[in-house]
Structure formats: C-alpha cells, structure tokens
C-alpha cells in the first residue's frame, strides 16, 4: 500500500509563490510577512475581487445593456465598499479613510471596462453559459490530498457543462489572450486537488481577471501537471530548510524581502 508523505505540507499558494520567486517561499515558510502594507492599489484589488462575486446576481437580474450594467456594478461596488471593513477587520484596522476612498475611486474607474467586457462575453456566449461559468456551487472550499501532500482553496467551484471545475479570481493584469503561465500552473494545482477529491478527471478551469471583467477558460496539459508535481517537490525541500538561489531580476526592487535577501544582510550572514 502506498504510504502518504511525511514531508512538509505544501499549499497551492506555495506553488504560486515559487513561480514568482523560489526564495520567497523560503522567507514565508520562516515566518516573514509576505504582503506589503495596505495601500490604494491593494484596496482597489480587494474591492474588485469582492465585486466580482456579485456578477452572477447582477447578470441574472439586470436587463443587459452597458448603462444598466454600469449602474448595477456601481451600486454593488458601493455596498462592497461599506462591507469591506466588516469582512477584513484585521487587514483594514487603522487604515486611513483617504486610502480607503482612493481605493474605491480606483476600483470605480474600472467599471466601464468591466461592464463592456462582461457585456461582450454575454453577447458572444449567451447568458446561461456565462451564469454557469460565474456562479459558484462552492465558494472557497478547502481541498486537500494526502497522496499529493497538497492542500488549497480555489476562489470557487463552478458547474460548467455538467462538470465541477475550479475558478480562480485574479485581480492583477490580464494577458491579451489566454492566461499567464503562473495562472495556468495555479489552475493545474487546483485541478489535481479536485481530481483527488472527486476521483474523476477535471479537464479545465476558469481564470477570472476581475479588474477587466474577463473570464478565460484554461485547458490543462500533462506538462502543467508535471510542473506542479516538480514544483511541489522543490517546495518541500525549501520548507525543509534548503535556501534556493536569488532570482535577481527587476521584481527584486519591489520585493519586501529585499533587505533580508541581499548578500551581506544580517539574515544572510547567518547562512553564509
Ligand atoms: S529580493 Fe528578489 S530574489 Fe530575494 S526574495 Fe525578493 S524577488 Fe526573490
């Protein structure tokens, strides 16, 4: 009988972080805080993510033209803005009202583009398929597999063409076509977990780019599955104490681990 892994437990978020930078996995696994302070950009993204959860209700209820859609999205955003401090009391504790307001203004500025893209997808694919792809049958379900030594929480599960598939909400930029390579691997990791849970193949996932109102279907290949498994093994080694090399690219400048990561820093001197 196969034995389950006794290695450090891997989360899908570790795999996503590894793609961003393997060394970040090392710092986070040692208790360093990953997310920077809340600023207007982060608030904008939090608001747009929450707003996207109201799309199904809006699409179901509203007669579909650009004006109506914009109006309904604006009403929903105003409600989301009021609800946000109740939903995230720890994250938003002590945040200045000006920053909250700036986040709201930034999110509101995205609404015309979101409405236009939603409307064009509704015209192209039809209301029922869009509703099926957007409406969660479960929101943020916890998935885990001892065999894969992996756990994770998709933004939602939706039932599309009779199959339950994961859907990931992304609040950052959106590629011209398809999904970013990192989002493909994120989707593949969640698919592996859902297959382990349900015991049947899950052929695709959705990625919602909520700052643009775009929904993309991503079909997973064997090479994506292979990459998830390989990254999982690398993450296990990092969590067990292996420090990977520095990535050293332009994203290092924005990284909040930079002061600990550069050679000669007090943390690095403990290792070298
Ligand atoms: S500074 Fe660069 S190499 Fe170091 S953790 Fe950040 S992104 Fe990775």
């Amino acid at each position: 009988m196969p034995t389950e892994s006794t290695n450090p437990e891997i989360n899908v978020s570790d795999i996503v972080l590894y793609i961003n930078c393997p060394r970040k996995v090392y710092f986070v696994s040692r208790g360093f805080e990953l997310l920077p302070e809340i600023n207007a950009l982060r608030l904008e993204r939090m608001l747009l993510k929450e707003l996207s959860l109201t799309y199904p209700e809006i699409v179901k209820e509203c007669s579909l033209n650009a004006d109506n859609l914009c109006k309904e999205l604006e009403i929903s955003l105003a409600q989301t803005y009021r609800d946000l401090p109740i939903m995230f009391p720890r994250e938003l504790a002590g945040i200045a009202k000006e920053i909250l307001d700036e986040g709201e203004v930034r999110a509101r500025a995205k609404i015309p583009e979101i409405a236009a893209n939603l409307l064009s997808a509704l015209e192209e694919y039809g209301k029922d398929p869009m509703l099926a792809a957007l409406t969660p049958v479960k929101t943020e379900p916890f998935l885990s597999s001892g065999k894969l030594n992996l756990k994770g929480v998709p933004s939602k599960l939706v039932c599309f063409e009779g199959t339950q598939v994961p859907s990931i909400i992304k609040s950052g930029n959106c590629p011209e076509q398809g999904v970013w390579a990192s989002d493909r691997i994120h989707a593949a990791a969640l698919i592996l977990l859902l297959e382990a849970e349900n015991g049947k193949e899950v052929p695709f996932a959705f990625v919602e780019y909520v700052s643009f109102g775009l929904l993309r279907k991503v079909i997973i290949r064997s090479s994506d599955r292979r990459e998830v498994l390989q990254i999982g093994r690398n993450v296990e080694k990092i969590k067990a104490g292996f420090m990977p090399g520095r990535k050293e690219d332009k994203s290092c400048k924005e990284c909040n681990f930079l002061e600990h990561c550069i050679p000669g820093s007090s943390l690095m001197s403990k290792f070298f």
Side-chain angles (χ1 to χ4, degrees):
M1 214 170 112
T3 52
E4 291 189 354
S5 171
T6 53
N7 290 328
E9 202 171 40
I10 308 305
N11 199 305
V12 171
S13 60
D14 298 322
I15 289 181
V16 176
L17 192 58
Y18 181 96
I19 300 166
N20 187 264
C21 172
R23 203 175 256 204
K24 284 186 180 176
V25 178
Y26 182 89
F27 287 124
V28 171
S29 71
R30 267 136 193 89
F32 286 78
E33 196 66 45
L34 173 66
L35 290 172
E37 262 179 71
I38 297 247
N39 57 18
L41 174 64
R42 257 190 86 193
L43 277 164
E44 172 199 330
R45 291 181 169 183
M46 287 167 85
L47 284 165
L48 291 174
K49 184 177 170 191
E50 292 303 320
L51 179 67
S52 76
L53 297 173
T54 70
Y55 292 171
E57 209 179 320
I58 292 173
V59 167
K60 215 185 300 172
E61 299 299 330
C62 133
S63 59
L64 299 173
N65 65 54
D67 286 347
N68 277 349
L69 210 45
C70 273
K71 207 167 102 207
E72 292 299 325
L73 286 166
E74 284 189 6
I75 293 169
S76 192
L77 179 67
Q79 184 63 55
T80 304
Y81 175 71
R82 289 193 290 276
D83 291 347
L84 210 66
I86 302 166
M87 287 188 281
F88 300 97
R90 188 171 51 84
E91 292 85 343
L92 299 187
I95 296 295
K97 178 140 186 349
E98 299 74 56
I99 296 180
L100 281 168
D101 289 348
E102 195 188 334
E104 199 260 358
V105 168
R106 291 174 65 119
R108 191 170 292 277
K110 295 278 167 94
I111 285 182
E113 187 175 5
I114 292 171
N117 284 332
L118 277 177
L119 199 57
S120 108
L122 284 160
E123 281 164 5
E124 186 174 351
Y125 302 110
K127 191 166 175 173
D128 289 343
M130 277 296 283
L131 275 173
L134 290 171
T135 309
V137 289
K138 285 184 190 158
T139 305
E140 299 187 347
F142 176 74
L143 304 175
S144 75
S145 161
K147 192 172 162 198
L148 294 167
N149 187 32
L150 187 64
K151 59 182 180 176
V153 179
S155 309
K156 52 189 171 179
L157 298 181
V158 300
C159 187
F160 192 79
E161 295 171 346
T163 307
Q164 207 171 93
V165 302
S167 183
I168 315 169
I169 294 176
K170 295 284 178 180
S171 53
N173 284 333
C174 173
E176 283 282 309
Q177 290 186 328
V179 302
W180 299 117
S182 56
D183 296 340
R184 165 179 286 284
I185 298 303
H186 188 174
L190 291 169
I191 279 178
L192 291 191
L193 274 178
L194 191 58
E195 288 178 343
E197 192 113 332
N198 291 348
K200 56 179 182 188
E201 189 186 347
V202 177
F204 62 87
F206 287 108
V207 181
E208 265 187 64
Y209 291 102
V210 292
S211 300
F212 303 87
L214 289 169
L215 180 68
R216 301 264 167 88
K217 185 176 174 182
V218 52
I219 295 169
I220 295 306
R221 304 181 285 245
S222 295
S223 55
D224 303 318
R225 294 166 180 268
R226 190 181 303 118
E227 195 168 344
V228 170
L229 297 174
Q230 186 55 55
I231 292 174
R233 287 180 199 118
N234 294 348
V235 169
E236 279 175 357
K237 285 186 207 148
I238 294 170
K239 287 193 154 186
F242 169 72
M243 179 183 270
R246 286 195 74 208
K247 189 167 94 158
E248 294 199 60
D249 69 15
K250 57 181 181 341
S251 69
C252 290
K253 272 196 231 131
E254 316 272 300
C255 176
N256 52 329
F257 300 135
L258 181 61
E259 62 172 305
H260 307 297
C261 190
I262 45 178
S265 73
S266 56
L267 182 70
M268 287 300 106
S269 61
K270 285 188 192 164
F271 301 100
F272 301 106

